[in-house]
PDB file of all heavy atoms in Angstrom:
ATOM      1  N   LEU A  93      20.307 -11.102 -10.825  1.00  0.00           N
ATOM      2  CA  LEU A  93      19.767 -11.432 -12.146  1.00  0.00           C
ATOM      3  C   LEU A  93      20.913 -11.747 -13.100  1.00  0.00           C
ATOM      4  O   LEU A  93      21.887 -11.003 -13.176  1.00  0.00           O
ATOM      5  CB  LEU A  93      18.946 -10.267 -12.709  1.00  0.00           C
ATOM      6  CG  LEU A  93      17.557 -10.059 -12.121  1.00  0.00           C
ATOM      7  CD1 LEU A  93      16.852  -8.959 -12.880  1.00  0.00           C
ATOM      8  CD2 LEU A  93      16.732 -11.319 -12.179  1.00  0.00           C
ATOM      9  N   VAL A 132       3.633  -8.342  11.355  1.00  0.00           N
ATOM     10  CA  VAL A 132       2.520  -7.421  11.589  1.00  0.00           C
ATOM     11  C   VAL A 132       2.275  -7.234  13.075  1.00  0.00           C
ATOM     12  O   VAL A 132       2.094  -6.112  13.556  1.00  0.00           O
ATOM     13  CB  VAL A 132       1.247  -7.938  10.886  1.00  0.00           C
ATOM     14  CG1 VAL A 132       0.047  -7.045  11.200  1.00  0.00           C
ATOM     15  CG2 VAL A 132       1.475  -8.000   9.379  1.00  0.00           C
ATOM     16  N   ARG A 137       3.577 -15.103  21.078  1.00  0.00           N
ATOM     17  CA  ARG A 137       2.428 -15.905  20.679  1.00  0.00           C
ATOM     18  C   ARG A 137       1.575 -16.301  21.880  1.00  0.00           C
ATOM     19  O   ARG A 137       0.348 -16.402  21.766  1.00  0.00           O
ATOM     20  CB  ARG A 137       2.877 -17.180  19.958  1.00  0.00           C
ATOM     21  CG  ARG A 137       3.691 -16.952  18.708  1.00  0.00           C
ATOM     22  CD  ARG A 137       2.858 -16.333  17.588  1.00  0.00           C
ATOM     23  NE  ARG A 137       2.981 -14.877  17.541  1.00  0.00           N
ATOM     24  CZ  ARG A 137       2.483 -14.121  16.587  1.00  0.00           C
ATOM     25  NH1 ARG A 137       1.821 -14.657  15.600  1.00  0.00           N
ATOM     26  NH2 ARG A 137       2.618 -12.808  16.638  1.00  0.00           N
ATOM     27  N   LEU A 149     -10.913 -12.170  16.276  1.00  0.00           N
ATOM     28  CA  LEU A 149     -11.511 -12.857  15.127  1.00  0.00           C
ATOM     29  C   LEU A 149     -12.982 -13.200  15.344  1.00  0.00           C
ATOM     30  O   LEU A 149     -13.647 -13.689  14.421  1.00  0.00           O
ATOM     31  CB  LEU A 149     -10.724 -14.123  14.792  1.00  0.00           C
ATOM     32  CG  LEU A 149      -9.318 -13.880  14.243  1.00  0.00           C
ATOM     33  CD1 LEU A 149      -8.634 -15.189  13.902  1.00  0.00           C
ATOM     34  CD2 LEU A 149      -9.349 -12.960  13.018  1.00  0.00           C
ATOM     35  N   PRO A 153     -14.225  -9.256  12.276  1.00  0.00           N
ATOM     36  CA  PRO A 153     -14.651  -9.597  10.908  1.00  0.00           C
ATOM     37  C   PRO A 153     -15.990  -8.986  10.509  1.00  0.00           C
ATOM     38  O   PRO A 153     -16.143  -8.530   9.365  1.00  0.00           O
ATOM     39  CB  PRO A 153     -14.703 -11.127  10.943  1.00  0.00           C
ATOM     40  CG  PRO A 153     -13.667 -11.508  11.946  1.00  0.00           C
ATOM     41  CD  PRO A 153     -13.769 -10.458  13.011  1.00  0.00           C
ATOM     42  N   SER A 156     -15.435  -5.234   9.865  1.00  0.00           N
ATOM     43  CA  SER A 156     -14.640  -5.025   8.651  1.00  0.00           C
ATOM     44  C   SER A 156     -15.436  -5.362   7.403  1.00  0.00           C
ATOM     45  O   SER A 156     -15.313  -4.693   6.371  1.00  0.00           O
ATOM     46  CB  SER A 156     -13.368  -5.879   8.705  1.00  0.00           C
ATOM     47  OG  SER A 156     -12.515  -5.454   9.753  1.00  0.00           O
ATOM     48  N   VAL A 172      -7.448  -5.445  -5.285  1.00  0.00           N
ATOM     49  CA  VAL A 172      -7.187  -6.539  -6.219  1.00  0.00           C
ATOM     50  C   VAL A 172      -7.453  -6.087  -7.655  1.00  0.00           C
ATOM     51  O   VAL A 172      -6.652  -6.350  -8.564  1.00  0.00           O
ATOM     52  CB  VAL A 172      -8.052  -7.758  -5.866  1.00  0.00           C
ATOM     53  CG1 VAL A 172      -7.943  -8.832  -6.945  1.00  0.00           C
ATOM     54  CG2 VAL A 172      -7.637  -8.325  -4.509  1.00  0.00           C
ATOM     55  N   GLN A 178      -2.965  -2.797 -13.092  1.00  0.00           N
ATOM     56  CA  GLN A 178      -1.605  -2.270 -13.163  1.00  0.00           C
ATOM     57  C   GLN A 178      -0.659  -3.274 -13.804  1.00  0.00           C
ATOM     58  O   GLN A 178       0.201  -2.907 -14.609  1.00  0.00           O
ATOM     59  CB  GLN A 178      -1.123  -1.900 -11.757  1.00  0.00           C
ATOM     60  CG  GLN A 178      -1.800  -0.678 -11.173  1.00  0.00           C
ATOM     61  CD  GLN A 178      -1.448  -0.443  -9.713  1.00  0.00           C
ATOM     62  OE1 GLN A 178      -0.846  -1.301  -9.065  1.00  0.00           O
ATOM     63  NE2 GLN A 178      -1.842   0.707  -9.194  1.00  0.00           N
ATOM     64  N   LEU A 186       6.206  -2.238 -20.754  1.00  0.00           N
ATOM     65  CA  LEU A 186       7.510  -2.880 -20.912  1.00  0.00           C
ATOM     66  C   LEU A 186       7.713  -3.325 -22.355  1.00  0.00           C
ATOM     67  O   LEU A 186       8.827  -3.246 -22.888  1.00  0.00           O
ATOM     68  CB  LEU A 186       7.630  -4.069 -19.959  1.00  0.00           C
ATOM     69  CG  LEU A 186       7.766  -3.734 -18.474  1.00  0.00           C
ATOM     70  CD1 LEU A 186       7.789  -5.009 -17.635  1.00  0.00           C
ATOM     71  CD2 LEU A 186       9.029  -2.903 -18.202  1.00  0.00           C
ATOM     72  N   ALA A 254      15.090 -20.191  -9.472  1.00  0.00           N
ATOM     73  CA  ALA A 254      15.137 -18.921 -10.198  1.00  0.00           C
ATOM     74  C   ALA A 254      16.019 -17.953  -9.437  1.00  0.00           C
ATOM     75  O   ALA A 254      16.122 -18.021  -8.208  1.00  0.00           O
ATOM     76  CB  ALA A 254      13.736 -18.334 -10.357  1.00  0.00           C
ATOM     77  N   GLU A 260      13.158  -2.824  -2.913  1.00  0.00           N
ATOM     78  CA  GLU A 260      12.701  -2.743  -1.526  1.00  0.00           C
ATOM     79  C   GLU A 260      12.180  -1.360  -1.143  1.00  0.00           C
ATOM     80  O   GLU A 260      12.220  -0.977   0.023  1.00  0.00           O
ATOM     81  CB  GLU A 260      13.826  -3.194  -0.596  1.00  0.00           C
ATOM     82  CG  GLU A 260      14.251  -4.633  -0.886  1.00  0.00           C
ATOM     83  CD  GLU A 260      15.325  -5.155   0.034  1.00  0.00           C
ATOM     84  OE1 GLU A 260      15.660  -4.442   1.011  1.00  0.00           O
ATOM     85  OE2 GLU A 260      15.835  -6.260  -0.209  1.00  0.00           O
ATOM     86  N   LEU A 318       7.101  15.637  -2.547  1.00  0.00           N
ATOM     87  CA  LEU A 318       5.838  15.924  -3.223  1.00  0.00           C
ATOM     88  C   LEU A 318       5.464  17.395  -3.061  1.00  0.00           C
ATOM     89  O   LEU A 318       5.016  18.042  -4.021  1.00  0.00           O
ATOM     90  CB  LEU A 318       4.737  15.025  -2.659  1.00  0.00           C
ATOM     91  CG  LEU A 318       3.338  15.205  -3.243  1.00  0.00           C
ATOM     92  CD1 LEU A 318       3.345  15.054  -4.756  1.00  0.00           C
ATOM     93  CD2 LEU A 318       2.375  14.200  -2.610  1.00  0.00           C
ATOM     94  N   ALA A 330      -0.004  19.202   5.296  1.00  0.00           N
ATOM     95  CA  ALA A 330       0.273  18.499   6.546  1.00  0.00           C
ATOM     96  C   ALA A 330       0.510  17.031   6.226  1.00  0.00           C
ATOM     97  O   ALA A 330      -0.139  16.467   5.342  1.00  0.00           O
ATOM     98  CB  ALA A 330      -0.887  18.648   7.523  1.00  0.00           C
ATOM     99  N   ASP A 363      -8.065  18.922   0.886  1.00  0.00           N
ATOM    100  CA  ASP A 363      -7.927  17.799  -0.030  1.00  0.00           C
ATOM    101  C   ASP A 363      -7.028  16.788   0.662  1.00  0.00           C
ATOM    102  O   ASP A 363      -6.045  17.167   1.330  1.00  0.00           O
ATOM    103  CB  ASP A 363      -7.275  18.224  -1.341  1.00  0.00           C
ATOM    104  CG  ASP A 363      -8.238  18.963  -2.258  1.00  0.00           C
ATOM    105  OD1 ASP A 363      -9.366  19.262  -1.814  1.00  0.00           O
ATOM    106  OD2 ASP A 363      -7.850  19.255  -3.405  1.00  0.00           O
ATOM    107  N   VAL A 365      -4.727  13.266   0.116  1.00  0.00           N
ATOM    108  CA  VAL A 365      -4.094  12.322  -0.791  1.00  0.00           C
ATOM    109  C   VAL A 365      -3.348  11.303   0.065  1.00  0.00           C
ATOM    110  O   VAL A 365      -2.888  11.626   1.165  1.00  0.00           O
ATOM    111  CB  VAL A 365      -3.142  13.044  -1.773  1.00  0.00           C
ATOM    112  CG1 VAL A 365      -1.952  13.656  -1.044  1.00  0.00           C
ATOM    113  CG2 VAL A 365      -2.680  12.111  -2.876  1.00  0.00           C
ATOM    114  N   GLY A 368       1.235   6.816   0.281  1.00  0.00           N
ATOM    115  CA  GLY A 368       1.779   5.505   0.600  1.00  0.00           C
ATOM    116  C   GLY A 368       1.033   4.360  -0.043  1.00  0.00           C
ATOM    117  O   GLY A 368       1.474   3.209   0.036  1.00  0.00           O
ATOM    118  N   THR A 376      -8.223   3.821   1.888  1.00  0.00           N
ATOM    119  CA  THR A 376      -8.386   5.119   1.231  1.00  0.00           C
ATOM    120  C   THR A 376      -9.857   5.415   0.939  1.00  0.00           C
ATOM    121  O   THR A 376     -10.331   6.513   1.187  1.00  0.00           O
ATOM    122  CB  THR A 376      -7.575   5.175  -0.074  1.00  0.00           C
ATOM    123  OG1 THR A 376      -8.108   4.263  -1.036  1.00  0.00           O
ATOM    124  CG2 THR A 376      -6.112   4.846   0.181  1.00  0.00           C
ATOM    125  N   ILE A 382     -14.711   8.312   3.117  1.00  0.00           N
ATOM    126  CA  ILE A 382     -16.012   8.285   3.797  1.00  0.00           C
ATOM    127  C   ILE A 382     -15.882   8.757   5.244  1.00  0.00           C
ATOM    128  O   ILE A 382     -16.472   9.762   5.639  1.00  0.00           O
ATOM    129  CB  ILE A 382     -16.626   6.870   3.737  1.00  0.00           C
ATOM    130  CG1 ILE A 382     -16.910   6.478   2.278  1.00  0.00           C
ATOM    131  CG2 ILE A 382     -17.916   6.810   4.561  1.00  0.00           C
ATOM    132  CD1 ILE A 382     -17.434   5.059   2.108  1.00  0.00           C
ATOM    133  N   ALA A 391     -16.969  18.477  12.126  1.00  0.00           N
ATOM    134  CA  ALA A 391     -16.221  19.408  12.966  1.00  0.00           C
ATOM    135  C   ALA A 391     -16.302  20.843  12.471  1.00  0.00           C
ATOM    136  O   ALA A 391     -15.687  21.738  13.065  1.00  0.00           O
ATOM    137  CB  ALA A 391     -14.754  18.974  13.064  1.00  0.00           C
ATOM    138  N   ILE A 399      -8.408  12.789  -3.148  1.00  0.00           N
ATOM    139  CA  ILE A 399      -7.741  12.649  -4.440  1.00  0.00           C
ATOM    140  C   ILE A 399      -7.355  11.184  -4.611  1.00  0.00           C
ATOM    141  O   ILE A 399      -6.629  10.629  -3.785  1.00  0.00           O
ATOM    142  CB  ILE A 399      -6.501  13.553  -4.520  1.00  0.00           C
ATOM    143  CG1 ILE A 399      -6.922  15.025  -4.395  1.00  0.00           C
ATOM    144  CG2 ILE A 399      -5.745  13.317  -5.827  1.00  0.00           C
ATOM    145  CD1 ILE A 399      -5.764  15.999  -4.345  1.00  0.00           C
TER     146      ILE A 399
END
Side-chain angles (χ1 to χ4, degrees):
L93 284 185
V132 176
R137 301 292 95 172
L149 292 182
S156 295
V172 172
Q178 289 172 349
L186 289 176
E260 300 182 7
L318 179 55
D363 283 7
V365 66
T376 67
I382 297 176
I399 298 175

